[in-house]
Amino acid sequence: MAEKVTHSIVVGGAVTIHTVDGVIRRVRPIVLDNNDPKGWVIKARSKVGGPQDTEYTPNRKVQPAFIALTEKNRAYSYDRIRYPMIREDFVETPDGKNRNTENRGTSGYRRASWDEALDLVVREIKRIHKQYGQEAITAMTSSHHSWGNVGYKISTFARFFRMLGYTEVKDNPDSWEGFTWGAPHTYGYYWRLGCPETFDLLEDGLQNVETMIMWSHDPDTTHGGYAGNESVMWRHWLDDMGVQFIYIDPFNNFSSIKQADKWFAPRPGTDAALAEAIAYVWVTEGLYDKEYIAKHAHRFEEWCDYITGKGTDKLAKTPKWAEYETGIPAADIKALARRWASTKTMGGSGMRAGFGGVCRTVNGTEFARTMVLLFAMQGMGKPGQNMWGGNTGSPMDYDFWFGGYSDPLAMIWNEPIADNVAVNPVTQKLYRPNLPDAILNGHFEWYGEGFCGQGIDHEFTENIYPKPGCSKVHMFWRYGGTFMGTMLDTNKWVRMYQSPELEFVVNQDIHFHGEARMADVVLPACTSLERVDIGELCSSGNGGYQSHSQTGNSWQVVVFQDKAIEPLWDSRSDYWIFAETAKKLGWGEQFTEGRTELDWCKRYWEKSDLCDRISWEDFMKKGYFVPGVPEDRVRRYGFRWFAEGFPCDTPNHKQFQEEGKLGTFTGKWEFVSESLQYWAPHDEIRTPIATYKHSWEGHHSIKAKKYPFHLISPHPRFDYHTQHNSSTPWFWEIPENRVYLNGNPYLVARIHPEKAAEKGIKDGDVIELFNERGSVLCVAIVTYRCEVNTIHAFGSSGIYNPVEPGMESMDIGGCVNLLTPGRLIGDMVPGMAPNSTLMDVRKWEGELPKGQFFEDKLDKVAKEGDPDAETCIEIIEGHGFEKIQEKVRKNYLKGAGV
Amino acid sequence: MVRCSVADPNALRAAVDRYFSTFTGELICALQLWYEGLGGQGVPGAAEMTAITEAIANTPGWKDMGDMRYEKFGVQKSFKRTEKLDLHGKKMIQHMFKREALYKEPDGTVLKIVTSELWNLRCFEVKNGKMTGPMIKIHPDSDRAKALVEA
Amino acid sequence: MRLGIAVDSRRCMGCWCCFTACKDEHCGFASKLSAAQPMMGQKWIDVREWERGDSSRRVKSASVATLCAHCEEPACMKASKDGAVYKRDDGIVIIDPDKSKGQKAIVDACPIKVVFWNEELEIPQKCTMCAELLDDPEYLAYLGDPALKQPRCVEACPNQCLYFGDLDDPKSDIAKIVASQKNTQLEEFGGKETNVKWLNVPTRFLAGTVYQPEELEEVLIGAKVKLTCKETGETWETETNYFGDWEVEWLPKNKKIDVVISAEGYKPVTCTASTEKDHYVGMTYMEKA
């Protein structure tokens, strides 16, 4: 028996992997040993009001979320794509027409060899180039389906497509729209895409804070992005010392239900009204930091006029008014406002204080801006007064540099990692949320560059597809993780895939998720456990848009993501797939620069501080490196420089911050936004004064008469985007997640007891969520945790099971984005608003549809390769997993014997 | 509502001078001066822009650079400081060492600064237009840093 | 030596790491001490959760990691034949995967339903406290320190909710946490000793909010709330906080409780509430005296 221990990073955290005889035996947290450095120590109170005499230090293990502990399952999962596959009724017509594209999603597949599949792909690339030009190929990555600086989405993928030339699909900031499109017009931070800097605020919080405002924030669920459970103890410490946690969310979320001292449940989309009413109390009662405001605020008086009813709308934003909008009693709103103003208060929205479900509503920008202003009114940057959500800002050695995934210096298409920078010659662009609209209508116009971290002006660039002089796109290469569960109005995506406009569709993925089932050629990629890579836990880099996100960890840890097992079945690493295709296209050598994947990994060691701290051999042997935090560390509290007026000393700052200015036009808190007045004076969705506005899909809409419920579909607790729920049947046994009925894992949807009674719905009933866009079957949880008009069902369902595959049919996979609106928040606010969805619900009286609907396709291809192959249902319920492991083990031992 | 009347050339002159006396930036445009220096509110009109542009043009130590892009304001007619920056004794690291800029060492080595933080400058040597070799770390207070000249 | 696990329910966030780590260890893999756990259907450690409260004005949840209690006198052992269930010297209770074949009585004997019937193999199965790993000198030997070896559920817990160690050693973390926290052994054991200790599993709360007269739209801070249980003679006192909220936890179950709310200058309000379930008494609007 040969047991080896390797390490990896996955979206759920860092893990230790035990492999025995060529198969993965178990996946564990990284438990630090005595050679690893000491943890940081923060001296703070043990009770609010008490002396700073207690030492806080993290557990000596790097704590992943439970999803990370399922990486073994993701590797051997039933929905793994095992072989290259070609759609059965795909016809390689020489002109790209008549290819039965309408059958995409319905048709089955046949097994192909790598050569056959890649030769076809290469022939099609050449045909498209000849027939239309380079720009007729488009390609798009997932949102975080794997980890590792080499194999990650914007590294290897970008290297290949930049060299090939392609129409890039710009990502929208789908998790924090309102902060990206709103907050920079109030306080800058466009280079952090609207999120604040939270450096060293864990220490500040532990020492000073008395009240935490968790506004649309579920830290125990969102895990600081990719930090797993690294920050959970911090909130236990705060809770134990008596810090008051106030949660504001239409759903009493999983952090709130455990730690809230008070839960407020505004009607979805009305949070800006609540914020304005808080401001009303402060303005009328004088409960704000007047000195700070006098010094740092721009056009505050005008804004006060708006709040107090002396503005153009002549409407005072009283707590009573807000009660009508939000459903929260006026008396409670006043109490909230006074508590916030009278104690040291930190808080924010969502996982980096600038995320959260509210900012994914039509009123998201206005909420984000108003909430930011509330923190400003209390002297943001002073001790205990800041935007901080209790899950970032741990002590860190700022003098240790290792590139994170979104750091331009840490990508294999760019120098210094590569010798030659890969530059995309195509300037035509597409925009992700509207990709189907652009394909289906042959035309789309929009503002902005998606992620506008390079400047406020980038929000207002004018884009048109097709770009004058350019061809439309006719080939689509999808890479990793499906968007069927995360982008809105899913049926729009189905229509796109079935359009003959897309003459050729390639999907390169690990699992056979929604979009893979729409492709003509499916290329099986392996998991990050089956290849080598290198990466840092929860680090998007020190120069990326979420710079220093690793302060969401207790431990900073760089990991040699060693290959635990060989790629399963015919799967290959993404790097191999791209390198092989490049070779067939005639530029394989330029693509690889003569390097193997391991060579690329070593480049990251060479070009970072890692090489000063540990030898390459020791690093590979140990598998990870913890730089540690020096005991005499320098504190760099977020916003303190601004509040106290010294040149900015926090990392990742801008020149003007050193001059004491924010990133707004005036350098101050803009209560009336000059940048919006300048760039978008006629925008009615996002006005110079942020105002609570009725949603185009909300309780004031006509539609509400027919579809009276709000659907909120927050980021999932039991998944990471679409990556784990589908592949891990264990999760289907968690009652708060799914219910496994009749061979199908139904998503749970939550409804308030009062409304459930009206609808005759009982706990555990199968219910249909529906509106004019589609319908989804779920299982009801009747709960007081829902605001009374709200249906809660987690978004990002990795499982999409339309009852009629390939049709715009009812879904039983829990893909509630079938119901969400596909339109942008506004013409000039190119974000999406999944939490502005109206719908209705009814008890499902019909028979349950049969189980899932795609396994037969996988089973058929698997049997072509191996008549003894394990079927999907065997892997889910039977001994398929054991049989697969047994076969691989046998092969491994045979090889080991030779 | 303008705190300083642009129509009054003397008042404008005084306000511009006052702004420049503490301004530490390298580049300036009329819009920035309007918002930061004059307390401007709302988008300035054409006459106001002309008056401010002229006032900057007439300020010694600033030269016309034509159109330049600002992250906040987009492309604007711009002026660049011609004399050495007075940082008023403050440690403003990115004013002293600009990110993404090239610097020359006394021996002629060209370095590109990829991050400039108070505690470290991180650079790569640039040869034939390409970043080569390992990451070079230079403490901003070190003699080596002091010897760097913007290339 | 008495190896045990303490479950501090107060700390549990319901993150399911313990459950997942246990599945990862045992599903599809047999050991000397147990047959493989089937891929679906068994929860050797389950996070049993229930919603607390009958109003959106005050709702919480309880999460209780529930696994084999490794009882001092296991009911399953008593129900077993041929020594199919045995207790090791370290206190861990093991079901022999061979000897237990066909003995469904072992499943039925468990008071907290954590022994599962494997239809296919016709054997009862349950938590081994990862004894097979604790026994294995090779397992985690690379970490150097045997103290770092813990059952998978405990190792995976990020919330300091699960503690593992020797209950007989007063210096152990587990002994300390058991000594310092509210011991709330599950009712199903009827007071019998177990080596898994449940701490801080909640009983009942009563809560409410007190307001000034309705037309004023103001909460009432600092109102006195007195609870009395005539049956047991116990009383509890609290005050309304900055939200006008009051709450009393750890009330006895299934009792009638008299509630008196008073504040200077207002007429007292009285009512009776039941602790059959966790209960929000209501929004109380006081009248001026």
Side-chain angles (χ1 to χ4, degrees), chain A residues 399 420 454 457 612 658, chain B residues 69 71 95 120 130 137:
Chain A
D399 202 13
N420 296 297
Q454 300 296 321
D457 58 336
D612 296 336
E658 296 182 340
Chain B
R69 178 186 165 243
E71 290 181 350
H95 286 74
N120 226 333
K130 284 182 183 171
K137 285 143 278 186

Side-chain angles (χ1 to χ4, degrees), chain C residues 83-107:
Chain C
V85 180
Y86 59 98
K87 197 166 172 68
R88 299 169 18 138
D89 290 344
D90 56 13
I92 296 176
V93 177
I94 297 291
I95 302 177
D96 186 300
D98 298 319
K99 289 186 189 165
S100 62
K101 192 166 167 114
Q103 298 195 37
K104 211 169 181 180
I106 293 171
V107 172

Side-chain angles (χ1 to χ4, degrees), chain A residues 403-706:
Chain A
Y405 75 77
S406 77
D407 205 314
L409 294 169
M411 298 182 187
I412 73 162
W413 60 265
N414 201 10
E415 58 179 4
I417 302 299
D419 295 328
N420 296 297
V421 182
V423 181
N424 182 15
V426 175
T427 54
Q428 173 167 266
K429 283 170 270 188
L430 280 159
Y431 191 42
R432 181 174 60 176
N434 302 98
L435 179 68
D437 306 309
I439 302 294
L440 290 165
N441 303 333
H443 178 90
F444 191 72
E445 308 154 24
W446 76 100
Y447 286 99
E449 299 296 311
F451 284 22
C452 298
Q454 300 296 321
I456 287 179
D457 58 336
H458 279 194
E459 279 185 38
F460 304 99
T461 56
E462 295 168 350
N463 297 289
I464 188 163
Y465 167 87
K467 193 176 170 171
C470 284
S471 164
K472 290 193 280 186
V473 301
H474 295 292
M475 172 175 167
F476 185 25
W477 189 321
R478 261 300 269 121
Y479 159 88
T482 180
F483 285 127
M484 289 300 204
T486 60
M487 288 293 119
L488 310 195
D489 192 3
T490 305
N491 279 327
K492 183 164 99 171
W493 290 70
V494 175
R495 290 194 290 277
M496 171 186 78
Y497 274 114
Q498 292 174 345
S499 160
E501 277 292 304
L502 292 181
E503 296 171 5
F504 191 57
V505 176
V506 180
N507 193 294
Q508 172 176 338
D509 205 345
I510 304 164
H511 299 102
F512 198 49
H513 287 169
E515 278 189 275
R517 296 174 225 156
M518 296 287 176
D520 300 322
V521 173
V522 183
L523 304 176
C526 64
T527 68
S528 46
L529 274 51
E530 297 156 66
R531 56 178 173 81
V532 288
D533 213 320
I534 187 169
E536 182 180 346
L537 175 62
C538 190
S539 169
S540 62
N542 301 341
Y545 293 146
Q546 305 289 344
S547 125
H548 297 75
S549 49
Q550 65 272 56
T551 67
N553 310 346
S554 285
W555 299 95
Q556 197 182 349
V557 50
V558 184
V559 175
F560 175 58
Q561 301 179 226
D562 200 355
K563 186 198 265 194
I565 54 169
E566 290 302 314
L568 288 163
W569 295 288
D570 275 3
S571 70
R572 295 289 183 274
S573 73
D574 289 309
Y575 182 85
W576 182 93
I577 296 169
F578 287 127
E580 199 66 14
T581 311
K583 193 163 93 187
K584 285 178 188 286
L585 284 164
W587 38 275
E589 192 64 21
Q590 290 99 304
F591 179 79
T592 63
E593 294 188 347
R595 290 190 191 97
T596 63
E597 283 167 86
L598 187 62
D599 294 337
W600 283 110
C601 292
K602 195 175 176 188
R603 291 283 278 191
Y604 286 87
W605 170 82
E606 272 170 26
K607 306 280 180 188
S608 71
D609 289 353
L610 198 57
C611 66
D612 296 336
R613 304 280 192 103
I614 187 169
S615 76
W616 177 244
E617 290 68 30
D618 287 348
F619 176 61
M620 283 204 298
K621 194 167 160 225
K622 171 129 191 176
Y624 65 92
F625 176 74
V626 179
V629 184
E631 275 182 48
D632 58 347
R633 66 182 188 272
V634 179
R635 274 74 165 169
R636 305 186 182 282
Y637 301 105
F639 281 96
R640 190 65 53 82
W641 57 273
F642 183 75
E644 295 188 1
F646 53 83
C648 184
D649 63 341
T650 57
N652 187 240
H653 66 269
K654 292 276 178 189
Q655 268 200 27
F656 51 72
Q657 288 181 293
E658 296 182 340
E659 297 163 22
K661 294 168 198 161
L662 294 175
T664 53
F665 273 22
T666 57
K668 296 180 174 187
W669 299 98
E670 292 194 353
F671 284 75
V672 181
S673 168
E674 297 292 353
S675 46
L676 286 176
Q677 224 161 0
Y678 179 79
W679 286 108
H682 305 299
D683 186 358
E684 290 177 1
I685 285 279
R686 181 182 48 167
T687 42
I689 290 182
T691 63
Y692 169 64
K693 299 171 180 72
H694 294 174
S695 167
W696 41 248
E697 186 161 331
H699 64 290
H700 293 291
S701 312
I702 299 170
K703 185 179 167 182
K705 293 188 168 40
K706 190 169 177 189

